Amino acid sequence: SMLLDDSKEDLNKRMLCTFKGAPHFFQNGVDMDEILASNPDRFRMLRAFWKLSFIKIDDEENKALIDIILKNNEQNLLHQRNIFKENDKAHQRVQQMVTQDYKVESNKILSLCNGVDGALKHEMAIEVGILDYISNRKGNTFGYWDYLSHQVVASPFKPIDYMDKMDIFGYKYIPNFQTKSQYLVIEVKKDIANVDDINQVMKYVDWVNQEYSFGDYNMIQAYLVAYDFTAESIKHKETIAKRNFIKGRRPVTSMEWDNLILYKYRFDVTTNELIFQNV
């Protein structure tokens, strides 16, 4: 009835989210302080869960969250007690009612944010378009990635409103193994990118190197996507967007990182899709 009710007072209901227990919904909850203290190095996004409806956590953080919930409910899991009963009929009914019209697609969002001469009015719409582009393999501009998220924390912990966040972050595994081989950083600007934007994306590259790849810059692929670029920013990229680092011990190998790529975006009104051009 919530899905089908079109009365005026219910027009503000935009989404209905249903969940299934994995493996169960336990009656015994876990305090957030206990969660964060259980594996401090793994929790990044949960610490920044503020003024948000949903967040997406990576595989390691997800595993740490599952671990503490299961450890606190080990006996309940073994003896199947203190578990909320579920009825799959509701999920089946929703699945039968939901049609293609309910599907949220980026092209619908992008068309509502259309500006002038292929520009878009909102950076968040561009983020959505890029995530859709990569996830659904609409092209190979950014490659394929196993995990993708947006607005991922990229600074030491401080008041949430002042924390830096990467527009798009991702990583990929070595095929057939749970070993991460590459990290993705994408910064988005809806207008013309300048020198400060080059500095910003390189700040995120350094953060990922420090927190995720631990000194191996070659594990990082970075992109700056903007409607256009100033001549100064392109020149600045050639000098500042490089990192020298050492890999190995015996023998020591001196290496240079130069994996920042600049892309211009355009919104195609005929296809409602994003088009990218290498600078």
Side-chain angles (χ1 to χ4, degrees), residues 19 21 35 53 55-56 58 69 73 83 102 125 127 146 156 173 190 197 219 229:
F19 299 86
I35 290 173
S53 298
I55 59 171
K56 184 175 182 180
D58 66 25
I69 293 173
N73 286 279
I83 294 169
Y102 283 93
E127 291 176 27
D146 293 301
Y173 293 108
K190 65 182 179 67
D197 299 320
M219 293 180 68
F229 294 82

Side-chain angles (χ1 to χ4, degrees), residues 18-73:
T18 62
F19 299 86
K20 292 186 178 182
H24 306 289
F25 287 112
F26 296 105
Q27 294 180 16
N28 178 29
V30 185
D31 183 79
M32 183 60 75
D33 287 350
E34 184 179 356
I35 290 173
L36 297 177
S38 67
N39 200 338
D41 292 340
R42 291 291 180 263
F43 290 108
R44 295 185 176 94
M45 290 303 293
L46 269 183
R47 296 184 184 277
F49 189 23
W50 175 252
K51 296 181 181 179
L52 299 168
S53 298
F54 293 95
I55 59 171
K56 184 175 182 180
I57 59 180
D58 66 25
D59 294 335
E60 292 183 358
E61 190 166 356
N62 185 57
K63 177 65 166 55
L65 182 58
I66 290 174
D67 286 347
I68 186 62
I69 293 173
L70 292 182
K71 282 191 290 186
N72 278 29
N73 286 279

Side-chain angles (χ1 to χ4, degrees), residues 223-236:
Y223 299 89
L224 178 56
V225 179
Y227 183 77
D228 206 346
F229 294 82
T230 65
E232 291 79 10
S233 68
I234 297 173
K235 184 177 180 180
H236 188 63

